[in-house]
Amino acid sequence: MARYVYDFHEGGRDMAGLLGGKGSNLAEMTRLGLPVPPGFTITTEACRAFLDTGGEPAGMAREVSAHLADVESAAGRRLGQPGDPLLLSVRSGARFSMPGMMETILDIGLNDESVLGLAKVSGSERFAWDSYRRLVQMFGSTVMGVGSSHFERALALLKEACGAPDDVHLGADDLARLVETYKDIIRTETGESFPQSPAEQLRRAVLAVFESWNGERARLYRRREHIADDLGTAVNVQRMVFGNLGSDSGSGVAFTRDPATGRPGPYGDYLPDAQGEDVVAGIRNTVPLAELERLDPRAYRELRAHMATLEQHYRDLCDIEFTIERGRLWMLQTRVGKRTAEAAFAIAAELADEGLITPDEGLARVSGEGLARLMFPRFDTSATDVALAHGLPASPGAAVGAAVFDSAEAVRRTAAGEKVVLVRQATTPDDLPGMIAAQAVLTSRGGKTSHAAVVARGMGKVCVCGAEDLSVDLEARRLIAPDGTVVEEGTVLSVDGSAGAVYPGSVPLVASAVMRFLEAGATGDAAGGPAAATETAGKETPGVVDAVARALNRADAVRRLEVRANADTPEDAVRARRFGAQGVGLCRTEHMFLGERRKLVEQMILAGTDAQRDRALAALLPLQREDFTGILEAMDGLPVTIRLLDPPLHEFLPDHTELAVRIATAQARGGLPAAHDVELLTAVTRMHEENPMLGLRGVRLGLVVPGLVAMQVRAIGEAVARRLSAGGDPKAEIMVPLVGDVRELRIVREEVRRVLAEVSQASGVRVDCPVGTMIELPRAALTAGRIAEEAEFFSFGTNDLTQTTWGFSRDDVEAEFFSAYLDKGVFPVSPFETLDRDGVGRLVDIAVAEGRATRPGLKIGVCGEHGGDPDSVHFFHTAGLDYVSCSPFRVPVARLEAGRATLEGTDASDSR
Ligand code: PEP
Ligand code: MG
């Protein structure tokens, strides 16, 4: 029979799937001999069973009782024992951390009797009644479903009646009265009494935590973080320790390194005479952790020793929650801490320097997503713009948006296309939708470990918190800066999460130090190592630039996949090369037909005779040749895959409605419409297609428009000949789009051979280009073995392959209904963003296997958008592709991820 409960002594960090992150780490700390209040963990399996059946799994209650008995006997007292009650906390803890998203219930075991016992043994009646009212409130709202506003209103009324400015000024009697009021509220709202039985409190609290897995907040968070919905949460039941027993008590959060910058050394917040929840809630402002050294040197020394133990043991940045109960330190939580992208790179490099991890482990711990974030621009404050206020730099980056003062407004304005900054005194989990919608979060209260800071960092969202100088007036929907400036809702603010500053208006942006480094073209060995990288970056943030350079160097050294760029112009090709691209994987020739040149394509389409068409094509030829020459020069020595024209021709003609209106207007004015307009309208009408994406495009164009393939191939061939004559090393490859059958490719290939032979003869230079095809239709993938008879290389066009495999119109569906699909969990992320491994991925696997069976060693790449997506890069590595090709800006990301993909399944990747 399944086992549902594990004592902290029995678990360990490798059991996170079953015990959740929190439970497995509590077990690990217990095993390390750290002072963890005793307790046990109810597994995620129990939660899943409960959510599946709606009932408590058989045997769970018995196991809970047995483990509770152990905790009781270790404590020498029973749960809720009237004279000296053992109290418990019940906390959620999923496989992946979801800060504040699920429920916590504290002080389980208090009732009308044991509250008196607690008052006696603690020596504080006020403390006992305050604990009891917290329990009734939390239990009432979380377990019994009473709206928390009922309790908040009762508390506010009481404070008003007593003339108390805040909770601290309420006495024991007041709180005792409040407990009665709370109990009445529960009775009125639910028809049930607050349960006096400690065992019942425990049982119902556990089930409520299970249920909170499916709460709205938790679901939203999971969707955003791509956490699977079927994991379930574990529940940790633990003896309560109290940080609110007076000035020799307190609670805090500590990091072994700064999670915002990665700088080594202890870092954190402490709140004397407070429960842990008060620290995170950001209600009272905390003091820096260093202050604890003065307040309680012994506890501080002990904490520092435990922090060192944990960092050595986990070989990574750890974050820790602790409580000091009357001078005694208790460790309540640890985990490998979330960090900003900047900190991730810096810490990986430093830990490798310290010898705690290998360079490969360092590489496994950074990510392409993080690198992309570091490439974002920062504010240019050189001409500053005096800051409106300063707060804590809680989550780095630069963001500009209109100030809004609640979550709903943030969501509303964002949906209407506006960029917003969410301003709050402090955020709560209810603010999550607004935080997701906003460009940045700004709070006037709370430390770097407050809810706003933790959640924003997790999302990679810009955040400044604890800007105490700002007075945030939520009612009036405005804030007032220290200099008296009033910022009404809708006023634009610039928030610098790296410096912790807020500016009025929109501050201009400059490239980040990492971007400047990459732009300088310091790639791989060319970087000359970290020293050169630091120099390149200037003084701004040498640490992070150096760390990025090292990670990229390592990735380049270990990766098997080559990385090319999608580039249509010589400028893009030059930039791509600086970013480390090893060639052009896709040059979309249609992009060369825009602007003035559109007219020439128009003439080609409208041509009534062969001679007219030939003239139009002849005019296009030199322009194309110039473009190709430029790109081949920029990529000299590296492959350049040039794709023949792909889109339907009517994309080059004016819009039907526009033309019709123009003609109708001319007629309405009594004149004659322009003959050219009439001619165009006829052509547009003739060429109209209901489903142009499935119509006359790709190779089909080449087969039906006489002279088109020949013109493009001639331009490519002549460009190659020119570069060869100039002493260059051009490596052009000709790629045919949207092939579905080998015969299509055969016809085009014969034409390519014929034209290249002509070019060779005419120029006197032997021009030879491999001819390959895109695999972007299911039929192409399924007949790849035949297609490889004619194709000298394959390149997966995963944009079209996704479109045609799913039957999703790539131009429509994302805006139309993807948000509903994401909401309903059909997929966690758009298949146009991250490759759908089960469907499209299977076609890729088939095509790779069958293509190479026909033509061993067949070169295969991908040039759809997925080529720069981290998760997809890992798939392409495993699928055995030779290269990925992506937009120039994503080249560094793809290099990094290609390196990380090589480490997958090795010790390095398992190190976390
Ligand atoms: C593709 O379909 O993946 C591709 C690269 O081609 P395009 O996006 O130009 O259709
Ligand atoms: Mg395509």
Side-chain angles (χ1 to χ4, degrees):
M1 208 167 91
R3 183 179 168 191
Y4 292 122
V5 184
Y6 288 77
D7 189 274
F8 290 166
H9 285 286
E10 299 172 301
R13 65 188 283 203
D14 49 353
M15 292 171 72
L18 190 64
L19 303 181
K22 189 184 200 91
S24 61
N25 287 322
L26 279 168
E28 191 76 10
M29 284 202 291
T30 304
R31 285 211 322 214
L32 285 172
L34 268 50
V36 176
F40 53 87
T41 304
I42 306 172
T43 63
T44 53
E45 211 176 311
C47 175
R48 288 193 295 269
F50 173 78
L51 295 175
D52 281 351
T53 62
E56 204 175 322
M60 186 183 107
R62 202 174 22 78
E63 281 187 67
V64 168
S65 302
H67 282 84
L68 174 61
D70 290 345
V71 175
E72 288 179 328
S73 78
R77 54 211 164 95
R78 278 178 301 105
L79 174 65
Q81 178 177 309
D84 181 7
L86 171 74
L87 302 184
L88 296 175
S89 65
V90 173
R91 297 172 198 266
S92 59
R95 166 83 184 83
F96 303 105
S97 136
M98 295 167 57
M101 295 306 140
M102 287 178 290
E103 304 299 352
T104 291
I105 299 141
L106 304 179
D107 303 317
I108 297 273
L110 280 175
N111 56 23
D112 294 351
E113 255 187 294
S114 62
V115 67
L116 305 175
L118 181 65
K120 207 166 290 159
V121 290
S122 67
S124 168
E125 282 200 28
R126 188 190 181 283
F127 159 72
W129 284 103
D130 190 39
S131 303
Y132 193 19
R133 74 101 191 162
R134 283 178 194 241
L135 168 66
V136 180
Q137 180 171 353
M138 271 190 262
F139 199 93
S141 58
T142 302
V143 182
M144 304 180 79
V146 179
S148 40
S149 58
H150 290 283
F151 299 111
E152 281 156 20
R153 203 169 321 120
L155 177 63
L157 284 174
L158 179 71
K159 283 198 283 195
E160 209 177 293
C162 302
D166 54 36
D167 305 9
V168 186
H169 288 82
L170 294 174
D173 289 349
D174 303 325
L175 292 165
R177 262 199 294 144
L178 188 59
V179 167
E180 285 312 311
T181 312
Y182 279 2
K183 288 200 291 195
D184 286 344
I185 291 175
I186 290 179
R187 247 190 315 272
T188 314
E189 292 297 312
T190 69
E192 227 196 310
S193 298
F194 170 75
Q196 291 289 308
S197 153
E200 187 187 344
Q201 290 173 6
L202 175 59
R203 194 181 73 84
R204 292 179 64 177
V206 169
L207 300 185
V209 173
F210 282 164
E211 266 168 359
S212 69
W213 173 259
N214 278 335
E216 207 174 308
R217 275 188 334 231
R219 297 178 84 102
L220 178 60
Y221 185 85
R222 286 200 293 274
R223 202 177 323 132
R224 153 99 212 181
E225 297 292 310
H226 305 317
I227 297 174
D229 271 330
D230 56 4
L231 296 177
T233 181
V235 181
N236 298 292
V237 179
Q238 191 174 25
R239 196 179 105 198
M240 284 290 300
V241 289
F242 295 97
N244 53 346
L245 276 173
S247 59
D248 57 353
S249 303
S251 292
V253 182
F255 295 84
T256 56
R257 290 164 194 256
D258 186 332
T261 63
R263 227 163 269 134
Y267 176 87
D269 301 319
Y270 182 67
L271 198 54
D273 195 9
Q275 291 276 61
E277 272 54 34
D278 304 336
V279 181
V280 182
I283 304 166
R284 274 159 61 196
N285 277 334
T286 52
V287 297
L289 185 66
E291 186 76 358
L292 181 62
E293 187 168 19
R294 198 180 53 75
L295 294 169
D296 189 340
R298 207 180 50 79
Y300 181 73
R301 265 199 313 278
E302 201 190 329
L303 176 66
R304 289 290 308 267
H306 296 331
M307 286 167 78
T309 303
L310 287 171
E311 186 166 289
Q312 288 287 320
H313 182 71
Y314 282 87
R315 303 186 309 130
D316 207 343
L317 159 84
C318 291
D319 81 22
I320 291 154
E321 285 180 20
F322 66 93
T323 280
I324 299 173
E325 185 185 75
R326 296 203 159 137
R328 179 151 184 209
L329 173 70
W330 293 99
M331 305 290 276
L332 296 189
Q333 173 173 305
T334 193
R335 63 183 170 202
V336 167
K338 293 201 181 198
R339 65 205 71 187
T340 62
E342 180 174 339
F345 278 90
I347 291 171
E350 262 162 31
L351 291 182
D353 280 348
E354 290 169 22
L356 216 51
I357 60 173
T358 65
D360 282 351
E361 284 172 324
L363 176 58
R365 289 181 185 189
V366 296
S367 71
E369 199 193 343
L371 177 55
R373 217 171 278 161
L374 292 176
M375 290 166 68
F376 288 148
R378 299 180 178 238
F379 284 133
D380 175 11
T381 46
S382 54
T384 325
D385 295 88
V386 182
L388 204 57
H390 290 276
L392 300 168
S395 184
V400 179
V404 294
F405 291 87
D406 69 44
S407 174
E409 185 66 9
V411 171
R412 197 185 65 69
R413 288 196 187 219
T414 304
E418 200 174 349
K419 290 196 157 97
V420 301
V421 172
L422 178 64
V423 185
R424 304 284 290 163
Q425 288 166 344
T427 61
T428 71
D430 289 337
D431 292 319
L432 189 67
M435 295 179 76
I436 291 173
Q439 303 296 309
V441 179
L442 169 64
T443 67
S444 57
R445 296 204 207 128
K448 277 207 219 173
T449 50
S450 61
H451 177 268
V454 171
V455 174
R457 255 195 318 268
M459 287 181 193
K461 188 137 294 189
V462 175
C463 177
V464 170
C465 66
E468 290 173 48
D469 295 346
L470 289 180
S471 125
V472 176
D473 186 342
L474 297 176
E475 295 251 303
R477 307 187 83 80
R478 64 183 191 192
L479 63 82
I480 303 173
D483 67 356
T485 308
V486 177
V487 175
E488 304 281 356
E489 188 153 66
T491 309
V492 172
L493 295 177
S494 296
V495 182
D496 185 340
S498 314
V502 186
Y503 299 91
S506 172
V507 177
L509 295 164
V510 282
S512 74
V514 168
M515 186 57 122
R516 288 206 303 276
F517 160 66
L518 293 168
E519 288 268 16
T523 66
D525 291 340
T534 310
E535 219 170 274
T536 320
K539 281 188 229 105
E540 198 176 322
T541 41
V544 71
V545 172
D546 180 37
V548 165
R550 286 169 55 173
L552 280 172
N553 281 348
R554 189 69 202 156
D556 288 343
V558 299
R559 70 186 158 92
R560 188 188 55 72
L561 277 176
E562 285 184 14
V563 177
R564 298 194 194 174
N566 295 352
D568 311 324
T569 62
E571 298 74 43
D572 275 357
V574 167
R575 161 175 284 139
R577 196 164 189 167
R578 280 203 308 263
F579 281 169
Q582 293 160 292
V584 168
L586 172 63
C587 170
R588 289 179 166 105
T589 46
E590 56 269 22
H591 291 175
M592 300 169 171
F593 292 158
L594 303 177
E596 280 304 296
R597 298 182 187 183
R598 210 174 93 152
K599 285 270 171 292
L600 296 173
V601 183
E602 205 177 278
Q603 284 164 17
M604 177 185 88
I605 297 169
L606 297 178
T609 64
D610 287 353
Q612 280 173 339
R613 185 181 315 105
D614 289 347
R615 259 202 309 281
L617 286 169
L620 280 165
L621 177 84
L623 303 173
Q624 287 250 278
R625 189 174 54 218
E626 288 309 310
D627 294 327
F628 296 143
T629 308
I631 295 176
L632 288 170
E633 188 175 355
M635 278 287 163
D636 197 54
L638 297 174
V640 176
T641 310
I642 299 169
R643 181 176 73 182
L644 301 182
L645 196 66
D646 183 21
L649 290 183
H650 59 69
E651 282 197 11
F652 299 98
L653 298 181
D655 178 66
H656 184 276
T657 316
E658 214 175 273
L659 275 172
V661 168
R662 210 150 66 204
I663 290 169
T665 314
Q667 284 167 338
R669 289 202 183 114
L672 267 185
H676 185 59
D677 283 351
V678 175
E679 195 186 1
L680 276 175
L681 184 63
T682 313
V684 171
T685 310
R686 175 168 42 86
M687 298 177 84
H688 171 78
E689 290 174 306
E690 291 297 338
N691 293 304
M693 274 297 194
L694 301 176
L696 182 58
R697 55 170 289 218
V699 66
R700 303 158 196 173
L701 277 176
L703 296 191
V704 303
V705 180
L708 183 59
V709 169
M711 181 277 286
Q712 289 206 288
V713 172
R714 190 174 301 282
I716 295 169
E718 289 177 359
V720 170
R722 275 210 199 167
R723 289 293 307 143
L724 284 169
S725 307
D729 183 14
K731 291 190 170 351
E733 301 173 338
I734 296 174
M735 181 155 76
V736 185
L738 218 76
V739 163
D741 186 279
V742 65
R743 283 163 288 203
E744 294 170 310
L745 183 60
R746 189 172 297 138
I747 297 168
V748 174
R749 194 174 173 213
E750 273 161 15
E751 178 142 25
V752 171
R753 285 216 186 101
R754 182 182 61 74
V755 174
L756 290 185
E758 281 173 20
V759 172
S760 299
Q761 211 176 18
S763 64
V765 181
R766 197 179 126 69
V767 177
D768 200 9
C769 302
V771 178
T773 182
M774 296 192 68
I775 301 289
E776 50 185 347
L777 293 173
R779 194 178 190 286
L782 295 170
T783 61
R786 297 289 311 281
I787 291 179
E789 290 165 11
E790 294 293 336
E792 292 171 271
F793 62 88
F794 280 176
S795 178
F796 287 100
T798 46
N799 303 332
D800 274 310
L801 194 56
T802 301
Q803 163 167 267
T804 48
T805 300
W806 278 89
F808 282 156
S809 160
R810 58 194 264 198
D811 295 321
D812 303 308
V813 291
E814 300 208 68
E816 247 169 28
F817 64 84
F818 265 26
S819 62
Y821 263 44
L822 294 166
D823 277 351
K824 292 181 194 307
V826 178
F827 34 63
V829 55
S830 159
F832 286 109
E833 198 177 316
T834 293
L835 192 94
D836 151 40
R837 294 183 181 216
D838 296 344
V840 180
R842 198 159 131 65
L843 287 171
V844 169
D845 285 334
I846 290 170
V848 168
E850 299 191 0
R852 289 206 176 124
T854 300
R855 195 185 278 262
L858 177 70
K859 188 141 186 133
I860 304 180
V862 55
C863 59
E865 284 307 304
H866 304 88
D869 168 68
D871 184 75
S872 312
V873 169
H874 286 239
F875 169 78
F876 296 128
H877 169 85
T878 315
L881 265 57
D882 296 298
Y883 68 87
V884 294
S885 188
C886 54
S887 73
F889 282 106
R890 290 173 100 186
V891 164
V893 171
R895 283 165 57 203
L896 192 79
E897 289 296 347
R900 296 185 68 232
T902 323
L903 304 178
E904 227 157 53
T906 67
D907 285 351
S909 71
D910 295 340
S911 67
R912 296 188 74 173

